[in-house]
Amino acid sequence: MTPTVTLVPMVTGAEVAFWLLVPVMVLGALGMVLSRKAVHSALCLAAVMICLAVQYAAQDAPFLFAVQIIVYTGAILMLFLFVLMLVGVDVSDSLVETIKGQRVAAVVAGVAFAVLLVVAVGNAVVGSPVGLSEANAANGGNVQGLAALIFNRYVFAFEATSALLITAAVGAMVLAHRERLTKKKGQAELVTERMQRYARTGQHPGPLPTPGVFARHNAVDTPALLPDGSIAEDSVSATLRARGEISDAESLIRPTRATVREIAPEDPSQPPGKTVPRGQG
């Protein structure tokens, strides 16, 4: 009798990557939705996008892997994160609805997305997908196959989408543009207005003093000193003053005042007006 040979299915690298990264993606998606801070939500979304890029690489889709990392994770998401950090993460969200019917639209979009997921998962489970390996082999590679679809089969849809994106960018520029109703002021007019404002309100006409004038504490939260030794309140940002994150400059000024004195003009060994540490000269 011929012995029967039982074929054990081999576990592929794509399956290993799937089962290893799916828990991370699910936890990252839950953290993105449930996080109270927008920065934490963005970081969780970055983890999900990186895991998705690895899934593309495991499925023999190097072009989608590179696009997912460079465009979505490296550009769009990081730009979103930088905007959040620039605007401020401590700003409370407004619960006032400025767009009418946005909750109904959100519910409809959520139901449509759920139907799309059910159909996609059902097609993958019940149907017989060809797979990226056969699709790439038929077109000579993943990049070549995408190029054939974009620039041959779906060239009109691709060009229409690019035209819509350009139109949206130009429309945003037009809506944000402000027409100049008066003549642009020159340097002489600006200086004249600045001096007139100083004579009227007493506001300093020059630039504000820079913070961080101490040799040991060159930081933006350290106030500058005026010629009389007092603290210049305008040298630090109004945001830092509102948050109470200004360094205590009084403790830095006292040793400076205690160790510096002015030499009398009648001293022949020193020129008038020179300052030396106490105990010298």
Side-chain angles (χ1 to χ4, degrees):
M1 295 179 60
T2 303
T4 58
V5 179
T6 304
L7 297 178
V8 179
M10 183 179 297
V11 179
T12 61
E15 295 178 356
V16 174
F18 177 81
W19 291 111
L20 288 179
L21 296 178
V22 159
V24 179
M25 296 176 67
V26 172
L27 293 177
L30 293 176
M32 179 190 65
V33 176
L34 301 177
S35 295
R36 294 185 177 182
K37 294 185 177 180
V39 175
H40 295 169
S41 179
L43 293 177
C44 292
L45 181 59
V48 174
M49 286 186 173
I50 294 175
C51 294
L52 184 60
V54 176
Q55 296 284 1
Y56 286 144
Q59 293 292 334
D60 296 332
F63 180 80
L64 295 179
F65 164 76
V67 170
Q68 184 72 26
I69 292 293
I70 297 174
V71 177
Y72 290 98
T73 307
I76 298 177
L77 184 60
M78 291 300 106
L79 177 62
F80 176 71
L81 184 60
F82 290 158
V83 169
L84 281 178
M85 300 180 69
L86 181 63
V87 172
V89 296
D90 296 332
V91 180
S92 59
D93 296 333
S94 177
L95 300 179
V96 179
E97 296 185 6
T98 57
I99 302 177
K100 296 181 179 180
Q102 59 180 352
R103 293 190 178 183
V104 178
V107 172
V108 173
V111 172
F113 184 71
V115 173
L116 178 63
L117 287 180
V118 171
V119 172
V121 173
N123 187 23
V125 174
V126 179
S128 56
V130 177
L132 286 178
S133 300
E134 297 183 10
N136 293 336
N139 294 280
N142 180 252
V143 179
Q144 292 81 354
L146 287 175
L149 292 176
I150 292 175
F151 298 107
N152 288 334
R153 184 174 181 180
Y154 300 106
V155 60
F156 293 106
F158 184 75
E159 294 297 332
T161 304
S162 61
L164 289 175
L165 292 176
I166 294 175
T167 305
V170 174
M173 294 174 59
V174 171
L175 293 176
H177 176 70
R178 295 181 180 179
E179 295 184 1
R180 185 178 298 276
L181 301 178
T182 59
K183 182 181 177 181
K184 185 178 180 180
K185 299 179 181 179
Q187 187 68 23
E189 290 81 0
L190 294 176
V191 172
T192 302
E193 290 184 358
R194 187 182 305 167
M195 298 307 297
Q196 291 176 354
R197 184 170 58 252
Y198 170 69
R200 184 174 62 255
T201 62
Q203 184 179 358
H204 193 275
L208 296 177
T210 57
V213 296
F214 296 99
R216 295 177 300 165
H217 301 275
N218 188 16
V220 296
D221 59 345
T222 304
L225 294 183
L226 296 176
D228 59 352
S230 60
I231 297 176
E233 297 294 341
D234 295 337
S235 61
V236 294
S237 173
T239 304
L240 295 179
R241 289 201 303 269
R243 294 179 178 177
E245 298 178 358
I246 304 177
S247 299
D248 185 13
E250 290 292 339
S251 60
L252 305 176
I253 296 174
R254 290 193 185 96
T256 305
R257 292 175 177 174
T259 56
V260 176
R261 66 182 180 87
E262 185 175 357
I263 302 300
E266 59 270 16
D267 190 350
S269 62
Q270 297 291 342
K274 182 177 180 182
T275 58
V276 296
R278 183 181 296 274
Q280 299 182 7

